[in-house]
Short mmCIF file of all heavy atoms in Angstrom, two decimals:
data_model
loop_
_atom_site.label_atom_id
_atom_site.label_comp_id
_atom_site.label_asym_id
_atom_site.label_seq_id
_atom_site.Cartn_x
_atom_site.Cartn_y
_atom_site.Cartn_z
N PRO A 60 -3.09 -13.08 58.19
CA PRO A 60 -2.72 -12.74 59.56
C PRO A 60 -1.34 -13.29 59.94
O PRO A 60 -0.97 -14.38 59.52
CB PRO A 60 -3.81 -13.40 60.39
CG PRO A 60 -4.32 -14.51 59.55
CD PRO A 60 -4.17 -14.06 58.12
N ARG A 61 -0.63 -12.51 60.74
CA ARG A 61 0.68 -12.92 61.24
C ARG A 61 0.76 -12.59 62.73
O ARG A 61 0.18 -11.62 63.20
CB ARG A 61 1.81 -12.20 60.51
CG ARG A 61 1.94 -12.57 59.06
CD ARG A 61 2.38 -14.02 58.91
NE ARG A 61 2.64 -14.38 57.53
CZ ARG A 61 1.81 -15.11 56.79
NH1 ARG A 61 0.66 -15.51 57.27
NH2 ARG A 61 2.13 -15.41 55.55
N GLY A 62 1.52 -13.40 63.45
CA GLY A 62 1.75 -13.21 64.88
C GLY A 62 3.13 -13.73 65.21
O GLY A 62 4.06 -13.62 64.41
N VAL A 63 3.28 -14.36 66.35
CA VAL A 63 4.57 -14.93 66.72
C VAL A 63 4.78 -16.21 65.92
O VAL A 63 3.92 -17.09 65.89
CB VAL A 63 4.63 -15.24 68.23
CG1 VAL A 63 5.95 -15.89 68.60
CG2 VAL A 63 4.41 -13.99 69.04
N PHE A 64 5.92 -16.32 65.26
CA PHE A 64 6.25 -17.54 64.51
C PHE A 64 7.51 -18.18 65.10
O PHE A 64 7.44 -19.19 65.73
CB PHE A 64 6.42 -17.24 63.02
CG PHE A 64 6.77 -18.46 62.21
CD1 PHE A 64 5.85 -19.46 62.02
CD2 PHE A 64 8.02 -18.59 61.65
CE1 PHE A 64 6.16 -20.60 61.29
CE2 PHE A 64 8.36 -19.71 60.90
CZ PHE A 64 7.42 -20.72 60.72
N CYS A 65 8.65 -17.51 64.93
CA CYS A 65 9.89 -18.11 65.43
C CYS A 65 10.16 -17.75 66.88
O CYS A 65 10.72 -18.54 67.63
CB CYS A 65 11.07 -17.73 64.55
SG CYS A 65 11.67 -16.04 64.76
N GLY A 66 9.78 -16.53 67.28
CA GLY A 66 9.97 -16.10 68.65
C GLY A 66 11.41 -15.78 69.03
O GLY A 66 11.70 -15.53 70.20
N ILE A 67 12.33 -15.76 68.05
CA ILE A 67 13.73 -15.48 68.34
C ILE A 67 14.33 -14.42 67.42
O ILE A 67 15.53 -14.30 67.31
CB ILE A 67 14.59 -16.76 68.32
CG1 ILE A 67 14.50 -17.45 66.96
CG2 ILE A 67 14.21 -17.70 69.45
CD1 ILE A 67 15.47 -18.63 66.78
N GLY A 68 13.47 -13.65 66.74
CA GLY A 68 13.94 -12.53 65.95
C GLY A 68 14.43 -12.84 64.55
O GLY A 68 15.00 -11.95 63.90
N HIS A 69 14.25 -14.06 64.05
CA HIS A 69 14.75 -14.39 62.72
C HIS A 69 13.75 -14.09 61.61
O HIS A 69 14.14 -13.78 60.50
CB HIS A 69 15.16 -15.86 62.65
CG HIS A 69 16.44 -16.13 63.35
ND1 HIS A 69 17.66 -16.03 62.73
CD2 HIS A 69 16.70 -16.44 64.62
CE1 HIS A 69 18.62 -16.30 63.60
NE2 HIS A 69 18.06 -16.54 64.76
N CYS A 70 12.47 -14.20 61.92
CA CYS A 70 11.46 -13.89 60.91
C CYS A 70 10.93 -12.47 61.17
O CYS A 70 11.41 -11.79 62.07
CB CYS A 70 10.32 -14.91 60.95
SG CYS A 70 9.20 -14.76 62.37
N ASN A 71 9.98 -12.05 60.39
CA ASN A 71 9.40 -10.72 60.57
C ASN A 71 7.91 -10.78 60.91
O ASN A 71 7.22 -9.78 60.81
CB ASN A 71 9.58 -9.88 59.30
CG ASN A 71 11.02 -9.51 59.06
OD1 ASN A 71 11.69 -9.01 59.96
ND2 ASN A 71 11.52 -9.77 57.87
N ASP A 72 7.42 -11.93 61.29
CA ASP A 72 5.99 -12.08 61.50
C ASP A 72 5.46 -11.25 62.66
O ASP A 72 4.32 -10.81 62.64
CB ASP A 72 5.62 -13.55 61.70
CG ASP A 72 5.56 -14.30 60.38
OD1 ASP A 72 5.72 -13.66 59.32
OD2 ASP A 72 5.34 -15.52 60.41
N CYS A 73 6.24 -10.99 63.67
CA CYS A 73 5.75 -10.28 64.87
C CYS A 73 6.00 -8.78 64.86
O CYS A 73 5.80 -8.12 65.87
CB CYS A 73 6.36 -10.90 66.12
SG CYS A 73 8.13 -10.55 66.32
N VAL A 74 6.43 -8.22 63.71
CA VAL A 74 6.77 -6.80 63.71
C VAL A 74 5.54 -5.92 63.89
O VAL A 74 4.46 -6.21 63.38
CB VAL A 74 7.55 -6.39 62.43
CG1 VAL A 74 8.88 -7.09 62.36
CG2 VAL A 74 6.74 -6.60 61.18
N MET A 75 5.73 -4.85 64.67
CA MET A 75 4.69 -3.87 64.93
C MET A 75 5.37 -2.51 65.09
O MET A 75 6.61 -2.43 65.14
CB MET A 75 3.94 -4.22 66.22
CG MET A 75 3.25 -5.57 66.18
SD MET A 75 2.55 -6.02 67.76
CE MET A 75 0.91 -5.37 67.52
N THR A 76 4.58 -1.46 65.20
CA THR A 76 5.11 -0.14 65.46
C THR A 76 5.18 0.06 66.98
O THR A 76 4.18 -0.12 67.67
CB THR A 76 4.24 0.95 64.82
OG1 THR A 76 4.22 0.73 63.40
CG2 THR A 76 4.79 2.34 65.11
N VAL A 77 6.37 0.35 67.49
CA VAL A 77 6.58 0.52 68.93
C VAL A 77 7.16 1.91 69.18
O VAL A 77 8.21 2.26 68.63
CB VAL A 77 7.53 -0.57 69.50
CG1 VAL A 77 7.80 -0.34 70.98
CG2 VAL A 77 6.96 -1.96 69.26
N ASN A 78 6.44 2.69 69.96
CA ASN A 78 6.85 4.07 70.26
C ASN A 78 7.17 4.85 68.99
O ASN A 78 8.15 5.59 68.92
CB ASN A 78 8.04 4.10 71.22
CG ASN A 78 7.66 3.64 72.60
OD1 ASN A 78 6.52 3.77 73.03
ND2 ASN A 78 8.61 3.06 73.31
N GLY A 79 6.33 4.64 67.96
CA GLY A 79 6.49 5.37 66.70
C GLY A 79 7.50 4.79 65.73
O GLY A 79 7.63 5.27 64.61
N VAL A 80 8.22 3.75 66.14
CA VAL A 80 9.22 3.12 65.27
C VAL A 80 8.57 1.91 64.58
O VAL A 80 8.15 0.97 65.25
CB VAL A 80 10.45 2.66 66.08
CG1 VAL A 80 11.46 1.99 65.18
CG2 VAL A 80 11.06 3.83 66.83
N PRO A 81 8.48 1.92 63.24
CA PRO A 81 7.86 0.81 62.54
C PRO A 81 8.75 -0.42 62.47
O PRO A 81 9.97 -0.33 62.62
CB PRO A 81 7.60 1.37 61.14
CG PRO A 81 8.61 2.45 60.97
CD PRO A 81 8.88 3.00 62.34
N ARG A 82 8.11 -1.56 62.26
CA ARG A 82 8.78 -2.85 62.01
C ARG A 82 9.70 -3.31 63.14
O ARG A 82 10.78 -3.83 62.92
CB ARG A 82 9.51 -2.83 60.67
CG ARG A 82 8.54 -2.51 59.50
CD ARG A 82 9.09 -2.77 58.15
NE ARG A 82 9.76 -4.03 57.95
CZ ARG A 82 9.17 -5.22 57.78
NH1 ARG A 82 7.87 -5.31 57.81
NH2 ARG A 82 9.88 -6.31 57.59
N VAL A 83 9.29 -3.11 64.37
CA VAL A 83 10.05 -3.57 65.53
C VAL A 83 9.68 -5.03 65.80
O VAL A 83 8.51 -5.40 65.84
CB VAL A 83 9.72 -2.70 66.78
CG1 VAL A 83 10.37 -3.27 68.03
CG2 VAL A 83 10.15 -1.27 66.54
N ARG A 84 10.68 -5.86 66.00
CA ARG A 84 10.44 -7.28 66.32
C ARG A 84 9.99 -7.37 67.79
O ARG A 84 10.80 -7.21 68.70
CB ARG A 84 11.69 -8.09 66.07
CG ARG A 84 12.00 -8.25 64.61
CD ARG A 84 13.23 -9.13 64.41
NE ARG A 84 13.43 -9.40 63.02
CZ ARG A 84 14.32 -8.79 62.25
NH1 ARG A 84 15.11 -7.86 62.77
NH2 ARG A 84 14.44 -9.10 60.98
N THR A 85 8.72 -7.63 67.98
CA THR A 85 8.15 -7.62 69.33
C THR A 85 8.58 -8.82 70.16
O THR A 85 8.49 -8.77 71.38
CB THR A 85 6.62 -7.53 69.29
OG1 THR A 85 6.10 -8.66 68.58
CG2 THR A 85 6.18 -6.24 68.63
N CYS A 86 9.07 -9.87 69.53
CA CYS A 86 9.54 -11.04 70.29
C CYS A 86 10.87 -10.76 70.99
O CYS A 86 11.26 -11.50 71.89
CB CYS A 86 9.65 -12.27 69.39
SG CYS A 86 10.96 -12.18 68.15
N LEU A 87 11.55 -9.68 70.58
CA LEU A 87 12.84 -9.31 71.19
C LEU A 87 12.77 -8.04 72.02
O LEU A 87 13.76 -7.65 72.63
CB LEU A 87 13.89 -9.11 70.09
CG LEU A 87 14.21 -10.30 69.19
CD1 LEU A 87 15.20 -9.90 68.12
CD2 LEU A 87 14.72 -11.47 70.00
N THR A 88 11.61 -7.39 72.05
CA THR A 88 11.47 -6.09 72.69
C THR A 88 10.74 -6.21 74.02
O THR A 88 9.59 -6.65 74.05
CB THR A 88 10.70 -5.13 71.76
OG1 THR A 88 11.38 -5.09 70.49
CG2 THR A 88 10.61 -3.74 72.34
N ALA A 89 11.40 -5.84 75.11
CA ALA A 89 10.78 -5.91 76.44
C ALA A 89 9.75 -4.80 76.60
O ALA A 89 9.95 -3.68 76.12
CB ALA A 89 11.85 -5.80 77.52
#
Side-chain angles (χ1 to χ4, degrees):
R61 293 293 185 256
V63 177
F64 180 69
C65 76
I67 58 172
H69 285 271
C70 73
N71 290 310
D72 281 355
C73 71
V74 296
M75 300 173 92
T76 299
V77 177
N78 291 332
V80 179
R82 302 193 47 78
V83 173
R84 289 182 173 102
T85 60
C86 68
L87 299 177
T88 305

